[in-house]
Amino acid sequence: MASTVDQLIDNSIEDPARRAPLVTGGLDYAGVTDVVSQVAESPKPPRIWYILLGISLLLLAMLGANIGHLIFTGVGVWGNRSPVFWGWPIVNFVFWVGIGHAGTLISAILFLFRQNWRTSINRAAEAMTIFAVVCALLFPGIHIGRVWAAYWLFPIPTEHLAMWPNFRSPLLWDVFAVSTYGTVSALFWFMGMVPDIATFRDRAKDPVRRFVYGLLSLGWTGSARAWHRYEVAYVILAALATPLVLSVHTIVSFDFAVSMLPGWHTTIFPPYFVAGAIFSGFAMVVTLLVPARELFGLKHLITIRHLENMNKVIVATGTMVGFAYGIEFFIAWYGGNANEGETFLNRAFGEYYWAYWTMVSCNVIAPQFFWFKKIRTNPWLMVIVCIFVNIGMWFERFVITVTSLARDFIPSSWGYFSPTPVDVMMLIGSFGLFFTLFLLFCRFLPVVAISEVKAVMPTGEHGEGESH
Amino acid sequence: MSTPARNTPSSERLTLGPLRAPLMFGGLGVGIVGLASAYFLAGDLRSFLSAYLVAFCFIVTISLGGLFWVTIMHLTRAGWGVCVRRLAEILAMATFPCLILFLPILLPVMTGSSASIYDWVDLKNLPERLQGFGDLLAHKEPFLNGPFFAIRALVYFAVWGGCAAFFLRGSRSQDESGDKSISLRMQAFSAPAMLLFAATLVFASFDWGMSLEPIFFSTIYPVYWFAGAAMSSICTMTLISFLLQRSGRLTDDITTEHYHDLGKLMFGFVFFWGYIAFSQYLLIWYANLPEETFWFEYRQQGGWATGSIILIVVHLALPFLAIMPRTLRRNKAYMAMAAIFLLGAHWYDHFWLIMPTTFRPTFGVTPADILCLVGVIGFYASAFALIAGDRKLIPAGDPRLYESLSYHNA
């Protein structure tokens, strides 16, 4: 029999002698199923959901219109001009790929590290990963100009195609890395959802719902054999996804770091990009889950403790990113390369100083507020900090991409990058795509991994069992 | 467990007991004999010091890894590793004796002696390969100079020793009292401790490793050092656990599950080291800038090409395959052997980092290298026994001890 936990308990209080409960509010096993299922089963979602979806769809429509404009007119509608040929599109690409990393970290690495608190947040985080990858893939896809030839990105052997992607280019490695990442993440997400979709199927009263969820649940029976295979597959996918957490952003960092451009070529880039990606990804998870738990009544599953733990990861990774900025600056001086030194001074005090200091304030200073327990356990304050983090991480990619390109080796070709309205609308529109997908996910799929949460609930008669 | 294990009185099972004196004095003896004979075999002070630096970096990174594991266990409120945390605490505490071991490296730098292994010490007498880089080295002089080098080193040791002492003392006082507020204090301190650890490790790696080739720079170098430190300390904890259990200590306290968990981390950091090493190599190779590639070029000539391939095999390829199977990771003797092998690889990693440019233009390992290593390990073992004293070898009062003892890898 499932046990209940005192409703009044504050599970963010630290007691080394016992593990804090991860489900509060007196929920038992059936209660967990009810809470998660009611999100999809309630006849009507909260009104705010419609409003948010409406805004997201509008932004999505704006994105679509801009993409149409771009395809019919050409990539000249962007602000990409000599010497900055990589402008906002690549900044947006790197930003969105980075956002995705938290999902994989939570679902794979935290699983291998036996972090039980991941169970309440992993499903939504994985969904976020996939939607972020969708947004990310959009930008290089439309950047190639002739989008109808986008499949040339892949090395597809054909006698009609006298072109073959350059295997020595990290841009091609990106194609492999991000598509592998997208595939494994989607598999992991979907496979993890099968038992919960089957729960939805079994509870469905409407035949259409029963049919659709039945189709998606792949004939899940819940037998011991099915569970056994599920768990084996889960470990294997987690182990496969773990190196992907490192590899994807490592290869994205190679896009810059293999070159010999000052400010781009530095060996710390791979781990520093990965840390930054996890940093921004967690900030996005917090930004999404704080409103979601309010909106859908998930406060007893996604508790303050879960949010607090994520905020701790944010301050840790944010500090790593800050360290990397510091090391880069130190080595730019220590290395004694005049171009490198000049590039870094230019970043901080040159014409893009505003972008640099926005980045430092948002990425290094903002997360330091999470040293205070009051701030990291207050849902709305943490959302404010996390939004700053996301702004900062977008600016980081802007600073890296644009400042180095704007001042290349020949002073006569130096220039200043200015985005066009299309650039701006596409960035905002990509959020429309992201939020549309996320809002639909919240409404129609299990937002919390029901079966996994139950596995970390206490099982003893008095709720005193072990929680691992 | 072997027969002596069963014969050990239960009162001694949690301490070094009678093992302590032989370890302390034996280690000291091995240390003195090893280092003295290495010195005579090496011929001159400079070549002795180069071999000595390899051994020193090997040892100090193990200690730093110990400090890292203690700190991260508190930071993450880890339950699994409580049973082996005291070993990490002792390793971390051994940064104090490492300060004494550091003196032979520091003194020539301080006195500006020609025996110093750091070429930036005397800008007027630069070796041939650095001729023409005088201006660059003069640019770095505000950082690379004897007094500042010494001050930084003292700061590092003060930080490491201070953090290690805080954790070891706290944990030991908890042995007696079982007071869980001590855990809370250690957890609270672990976050700033991690910041201090990271900052000092970064600059220690620049100072002691990277500045040997004063015109080389690589921002990932500290992460490379860290990867080796985290891996080697896990190996040391595994090996010490095994040796203690063979001599009848901690027989009921460190279980197969702990070996399995340590093995997973060992595997993870073998892979992480490979990732970092590959990232550094690929980026430098690809950009092909002479100011960086020369560093790898030294590691590809005079037989060092073979030496570099050996490093990839022993530090990545072989252990990656060897400790991947779950059944093997649950075999204590096998994991102890893997730990010895990887510790060898870790020593070789520092050998590869330090030797090629000036000290050993032609690849080869000399008896002096090995004797230096043996000597420094002797001193380290002696320090371990001294720090361990007759106190408990597990944090007996930790509120998460039960969790650590009872966990089973499903």
Side-chain angles (χ1 to χ4, degrees), chain B residues 351-373:
Chain B
F351 184 78
W352 180 87
L353 282 175
I354 289 167
M355 287 299 191
T357 315
T358 52
F359 308 114
R360 201 72 53 83
T362 311
F363 174 63
V365 177
T366 64
D369 298 331
I370 303 298
L371 284 168
C372 263
L373 175 68

Side-chain angles (χ1 to χ4, degrees), chain A residues 168 250 265-267 333-334, chain B residues 139-140 218-219 275 286 292:
Chain A
R168 279 182 258 176
T250 293
H265 176 70
T266 181
T267 48
W333 170 80
Y334 177 90
Chain B
H139 164 81
K140 299 184 182 199
S218 171
T219 40
Y275 161 63
Y286 202 117
E292 296 175 333

Side-chain angles (χ1 to χ4, degrees), chain B residues 90-127:
Chain B
I90 296 172
L91 292 182
M93 197 62 193
T95 44
F96 268 124
C98 281
L99 173 61
I100 299 165
L101 288 176
F102 185 61
L103 292 179
I105 294 159
L106 180 65
L107 291 177
V109 174
M110 289 293 289
T111 56
S113 152
S114 59
S116 165
I117 41 180
Y118 296 98
D119 290 327
W120 48 262
V121 166
D122 188 0
L123 292 185
K124 291 188 191 70
N125 293 311
L126 287 175

Side-chain angles (χ1 to χ4, degrees), chain A residues 300-426:
Chain A
H300 294 307
L301 293 178
I302 302 168
T303 64
I304 291 293
R305 190 181 185 85
H306 293 91
L307 299 173
E308 189 191 3
N309 282 353
M310 287 195 275
N311 294 334
K312 286 179 182 173
V313 176
I314 289 171
V315 66
T317 46
T319 310
M320 282 184 208
V321 168
F323 258 86
Y325 296 160
I327 296 177
E328 273 190 318
F329 241 95
F330 172 75
I331 292 288
W333 170 80
Y334 177 90
N337 180 318
N339 294 322
E340 187 81 9
E342 186 57 35
T343 298
F344 275 87
L345 286 178
N346 182 49
R347 268 187 192 176
F349 307 110
E351 49 200 345
Y352 291 104
Y353 76 93
W354 50 274
Y356 183 83
W357 293 106
T358 306
M359 167 188 100
V360 171
S361 319
C362 294
N363 284 354
V364 185
I365 300 170
Q368 305 308 325
F369 285 105
F370 285 154
W371 285 94
F372 304 102
K373 192 172 173 98
K374 280 221 166 85
I375 297 179
R376 65 169 190 259
T377 52
N378 180 315
W380 298 107
L381 287 179
M382 68 176 83
V383 168
I384 293 171
V385 172
C386 287
I387 289 173
F388 274 112
V389 167
N390 277 317
I391 294 171
M393 282 311 290
W394 187 88
F395 269 95
E396 181 193 294
R397 280 64 175 251
F398 177 84
V399 166
I400 292 171
T401 310
V402 174
T403 59
S404 285
L405 285 175
R407 294 236 176 162
D408 62 6
F409 295 102
I410 310 167
S412 63
S413 65
W414 287 359
Y416 188 81
F417 174 84
S418 306
T420 63
V422 177
D423 276 314
V424 180
M425 285 191 284
M426 278 202 174

Side-chain angles (χ1 to χ4, degrees), chain A residues 14-19 112-115 166-170 173 242-243 246-247 249-250 253-254 256-261 265-272 274 305 312 316 319-320 323-324 326-337 340 368 371 376 466 468, chain B residues 76-80 136 139-144 180-181 183-184 187 191-192 195 198-199 202-203 206 210-211 213-223 261 264-265 271-272 275-276 278-280 282-284 286-287 289 291-292 399-400 402-403 406-409:
Chain A
E14 194 64 47
D15 179 0
R18 74 193 284 274
R19 293 287 172 187
L112 296 181
F113 280 158
R114 305 202 290 261
Q115 296 298 304
N166 185 355
F167 276 91
R168 279 182 258 176
S169 163
W173 310 342
T242 297
L246 295 181
S247 71
H249 233 55
T250 293
S253 82
F254 286 171
F256 301 93
V258 295
S259 71
M260 45 182 165
L261 201 62
H265 176 70
T266 181
T267 48
I268 193 75
F269 256 34
Y272 149 57
V274 172
R305 190 181 185 85
K312 286 179 182 173
T319 310
M320 282 184 208
F323 258 86
I327 296 177
E328 273 190 318
F329 241 95
F330 172 75
I331 292 288
W333 170 80
Y334 177 90
N337 180 318
E340 187 81 9
Q368 305 308 325
W371 285 94
R376 65 169 190 259
E466 283 175 63
H468 50 78
Chain B
T76 57
R77 285 81 173 121
W80 71 272
L136 181 59
H139 164 81
K140 299 184 182 199
E141 210 182 351
F143 183 75
L144 292 182
K180 62 185 182 182
S181 71
S183 289
L184 291 175
Q187 286 170 14
L195 286 183
V202 165
F203 284 96
F206 287 155
M210 201 169 83
S211 83
E213 186 45 89
I215 53 173
F216 176 70
F217 56 91
S218 171
T219 40
I220 208 172
Y221 197 93
V223 189
D261 282 344
K264 288 188 232 176
L265 287 169
F271 186 75
F272 184 73
Y275 161 63
I276 296 298
F278 172 75
S279 296
Q280 173 167 267
L282 181 93
L283 293 180
I284 289 176
Y286 202 117
L289 297 168
E291 64 194 29
E292 296 175 333
R400 298 197 180 102
Y402 174 75
E403 183 183 334
S406 59
Y407 182 77
H408 282 277
N409 282 290

